[in-house]
């Protein structure tokens, strides 16, 4: 299966968001990665559901929402209205099984996300309820950070567990993805590459093409 590309609009030009979304469609992005930060779970804030609603109405590309918020179960119903994949952090203080089930009940696909401090094995028991898992390859909170190579071992462990058990779960990676780190991620078994600062700007077309060719 060809690797899927999920540009993170945290790095988009928000004064020209409509054009940015159009460019993502022209360049065949597979998903739009939408980072929600609350200033508590992570030391930064971004954008939330009112902007998600507008983005959803302006594009046909599936939207992959990455909640970096405390106790995310409180907001599942709201975000599931417009998210195709709705992801939250294992470490964020919600009951993981109940939150995954609630996301599916609300009609979205599930994505369980782990920070660099969490081991892959800690989420094995939840894989039957996960349409996707997201391995963070930076500390969540900011774009433009350097890739943490330790994340590759986690991807390999998840790849093995998913393949051995025959689950349909996709593996996504987020943080510091560029032409050097993307091949390492795909070789380790990643299905979906999130990239922000590497993709937005003048070279979007060739960079998406390059990542898709890996
Ligand atoms: C970081 C976010 C990422 C971020 C990635 O907390 O979850 O999605 O946008 O940005 P780059 O690709 O620049 O590392
Ligand atoms: Zn993200």
């Amino acid at each position: 299966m060809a690797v899927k590309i999920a540009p993170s609009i945290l790095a988009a030009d928000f004064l020209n968001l409509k054009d940015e979304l159009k460019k993502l469609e022209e360049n065949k992005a597979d998903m739009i990665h939408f980072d929600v930060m609350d200033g508590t779970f992570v030391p930064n804030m971004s954008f939330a559901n009112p902007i998600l609603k507008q983005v959803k109405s302006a594009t046909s590309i599936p939207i992959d929402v990455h909640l970096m918020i405390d106790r995310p179960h409180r907001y599942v119903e709201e975000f599931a209205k417009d998210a195709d994949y709705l992801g939250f952090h294992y470490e964020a203080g919600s009951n993981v099984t109940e939150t995954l089930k609630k996301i599916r009940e609300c009609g979205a696909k599930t994505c369980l996300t782990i920070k660099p401090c969490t081991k892959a094995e800690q989420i094995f028991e939840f894989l039957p309820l996960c349409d996707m898992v997201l391995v963070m390859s930076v500390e969540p909170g900011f774009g433009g950070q350097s890739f943490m190579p330790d994340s590759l071992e986690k991807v390999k462990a998840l790849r093995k567990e998913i393949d051995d058990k025959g689950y349909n779960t996709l593996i996504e990676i987020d943080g510091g993805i560029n032409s050097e780190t993307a091949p390492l991620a795909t070789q380790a078994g990643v299905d979906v590459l999130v990239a922000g600062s590497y993709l937005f700007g003048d070279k979007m077309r060739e960079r998406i093409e390059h990542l898709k060719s890996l």
Side-chain angles (χ1 to χ4, degrees):
M1 190 180 67
V3 70
K4 294 185 192 307
I5 310 302
S8 169
I9 56 167
L10 191 62
D13 174 359
F14 268 76
L15 292 181
N16 293 301
L17 191 54
K18 211 171 178 179
D19 292 342
E20 296 276 56
L21 295 174
K22 213 168 123 209
K23 267 169 69 186
L24 292 176
E25 288 196 359
E26 284 165 6
N27 293 308
K28 303 195 168 48
D30 298 289
M31 296 181 198
I32 290 174
H33 186 80
F34 189 96
D35 286 310
V36 180
M37 305 181 189
D38 67 354
T40 304
F41 181 70
V42 289
N44 195 14
M45 287 189 265
S46 60
F47 33 73
N49 40 326
I51 294 185
L52 175 62
K53 204 166 276 309
Q54 291 196 318
V55 170
K56 181 69 186 169
S57 71
T59 182
S60 57
I61 304 175
I63 303 184
D64 160 35
V65 173
H66 175 191
L67 295 179
M68 286 166 272
I69 66 174
D70 254 344
R71 293 172 292 140
H73 62 277
R74 298 173 295 157
Y75 291 98
V76 165
E77 280 169 27
E78 189 53 39
F79 280 98
K81 289 178 192 160
D82 302 294
D84 292 273
Y85 284 87
L86 183 51
F88 66 97
H89 273 266
Y90 169 80
E91 309 85 358
S94 289
N95 180 294
V96 174
T97 301
E98 281 173 20
T99 307
L100 289 168
K101 285 184 178 164
K102 191 168 174 186
I103 291 172
R104 284 190 171 168
E105 277 162 26
C106 290
K109 290 183 175 161
T110 55
C111 178
L112 184 58
T113 304
I114 53 172
K115 296 212 301 184
C117 62
T118 301
K119 293 191 173 68
E121 291 72 17
Q122 289 172 257
I123 62 166
F124 280 2
E125 64 179 291
F126 305 110
L127 290 174
L129 289 172
C130 296
D131 297 299
M132 185 154 78
V133 286
L134 168 55
V135 175
M136 289 306 297
S137 40
V138 297
E139 284 298 339
F142 299 91
Q145 303 181 76
S146 300
F147 183 81
M148 297 167 80
D150 288 358
S151 57
L152 297 171
E153 290 310 312
K154 288 189 218 181
V155 170
K156 288 181 195 162
L158 284 160
R159 179 80 278 153
K160 185 169 184 319
E161 178 72 5
I162 289 167
D163 291 349
D164 285 353
K165 300 273 166 69
Y167 301 137
N168 286 322
T169 314
L170 294 173
I171 304 177
E172 181 177 49
I173 197 162
D174 180 11
I177 293 296
N178 55 36
S179 58
E180 278 159 32
T181 56
L184 305 176
T186 54
Q187 279 154 27
V190 160
D191 303 295
V192 184
L193 295 167
V194 175
S197 47
Y198 174 68
L199 284 186
F200 283 87
D202 298 346
K203 299 197 172 116
M204 183 188 285
R205 178 177 296 276
E206 60 232 58
R207 290 188 171 181
I208 290 186
E209 268 173 23
H210 173 63
L211 293 187
K212 279 190 175 230
S213 72
L214 293 173

